[in-house]
Amino acid sequence: MPTVLVVEDESAIAELVAINLRHAGFEVTLAENADQAMVAVDAVLPDLVLLDWMLPGQSGVALARRWRGDARTRELPIIMLTARADEADKVSGLDAGADDYLTKPFSTQELLARIRAVLRRRVPEALDSAVEMAGLKLDPSTRRVSRAGIELKLGPTEFRLLHFFMTHPERVHSRAQLLDRVWGDHVFIEERTVDVHVKRLREALLPAQCASMIETVRGAGYRFTQQAIASAA
C-alpha cells in the first residue's frame, strides 16, 4: 500500500488526517517537526509527504527546498497542507517544490483526491489500478496475475517486481534501481538478489508463455517489453 508521511505539529489534525488516510488504504507515518520528518525520510522514502508550513524550528517550505535540493529526495511527492491561504504563500510553497497546495480547513475527500492525483503523476505504481500488456494482466487490488485465462502464481516479491516492470515498460532498469524501487530504499541486500527473483519471475510466467517479456540487457540490467511477444505471434 502507498505510504504517506504526515508532517504536522497539531496532534488533533495529524490524527484526523492519519485516520482518514488509513481508512482509504494508505500506510501513515507521523512527524511533529522538521527534524522528525528528516529522520523518517532518511530511514525510508515514503510515497508522498503531507507537509505543514508552520512547524517548530525549520518551516515546511525550508524543508521542501532542502528535499528538492538533494538527489535522493528530489522526486519525492510533496503536498503542502497549511492555514496560509494568501496567493503569495501558495506561490512560495509551489516555488519551493511542492506538487500541490491545500489550505486548512480542508475537505477529506478533496485531500484524498489530490493525493491520488499527485501519485498518478509521480508514482503510478503506488496505485491499485490494474495493468495489462500483451494480454498479461496484473491486478494489485486482488493480487492476481493472469494471461489467456491462465492464472499465474507469484510470490510477494515477484509480484512487486512484475508490477514495477509493467508500470515502467520498455525502460532498462539497473539492479541498483530495482533494489531501491521494488525492495525499498535503505534495504541492504546484494544486487545478485535481483537476478534470483528475476529468474523466479520468469519461471512463474512460463505457463502463460510470456517469460520472454523480461529481457536481460547485458551490462545494464533488465527491461520489460512486449516486443518478444509481438515477434513470436
Side-chain angles (χ1 to χ4, degrees), residues 21-215:
L21 288 178
R22 288 174 181 138
H23 183 71
F26 295 92
E27 184 177 331
V28 181
T29 301
L30 299 178
E32 296 181 356
N33 53 52
D35 288 342
Q36 289 183 11
M38 286 188 289
V39 168
V41 169
D42 285 346
V44 179
L45 279 174
D47 291 309
L48 182 140
V49 176
L50 284 179
L51 181 61
D52 189 16
W53 181 314
M54 294 174 284
L55 296 170
Q58 185 175 192
S59 72
V61 168
L63 185 55
R65 287 198 183 98
R66 179 170 182 163
W67 281 333
R68 286 291 177 256
D70 187 282
R72 178 173 169 269
T73 52
R74 187 167 296 142
E75 300 300 321
L76 180 62
I78 300 171
I79 297 179
M80 297 290 298
L81 186 61
T82 173
R84 301 182 68 142
D86 291 345
E87 182 179 0
D89 292 329
K90 293 179 181 179
V91 170
S92 295
L94 294 170
D95 282 348
D99 296 279
D100 203 349
Y101 192 104
L102 185 61
T103 57
K104 304 172 185 176
F106 56 89
S107 156
T108 299
Q109 292 305 312
E110 181 181 4
L111 174 61
L112 290 171
R114 288 179 183 242
I115 289 173
R116 292 188 182 106
V118 170
L119 287 176
R120 278 196 298 272
R121 295 196 300 267
R122 302 294 290 270
V123 282
E125 71 276 12
L127 302 181
D128 285 338
S129 302
V131 188
E132 180 175 355
M133 293 186 67
L136 182 64
K137 300 177 183 178
L138 181 148
D139 189 342
S141 62
T142 62
R143 310 293 290 184
R144 289 180 176 173
V145 179
S146 62
R147 184 170 188 259
I150 301 172
E151 188 161 337
L152 304 172
K153 303 299 182 183
L154 276 68
T157 301
E158 287 72 43
F159 186 93
R160 293 196 305 272
L161 185 59
L162 180 60
H163 193 192
F164 179 76
F165 275 136
M166 292 183 71
T167 52
H168 299 79
E170 307 299 340
R171 305 180 195 174
V172 178
H173 306 283
S174 70
R175 291 168 179 82
Q177 288 170 334
L178 290 171
L179 282 174
D180 281 347
R181 300 301 299 275
V182 177
W183 277 260
D185 189 73
H186 279 49
V187 174
F188 299 105
I189 56 178
E190 294 184 0
E191 291 187 2
R192 286 178 294 178
T193 302
V194 176
D195 300 330
V196 172
H197 286 282
V198 168
K199 182 176 182 290
R200 290 178 182 172
L201 176 57
R202 284 174 172 153
E203 291 171 349
L205 295 175
L206 276 174
Q209 299 182 332
C210 52
S212 60
M213 296 175 79
I214 312 296
E215 289 187 342

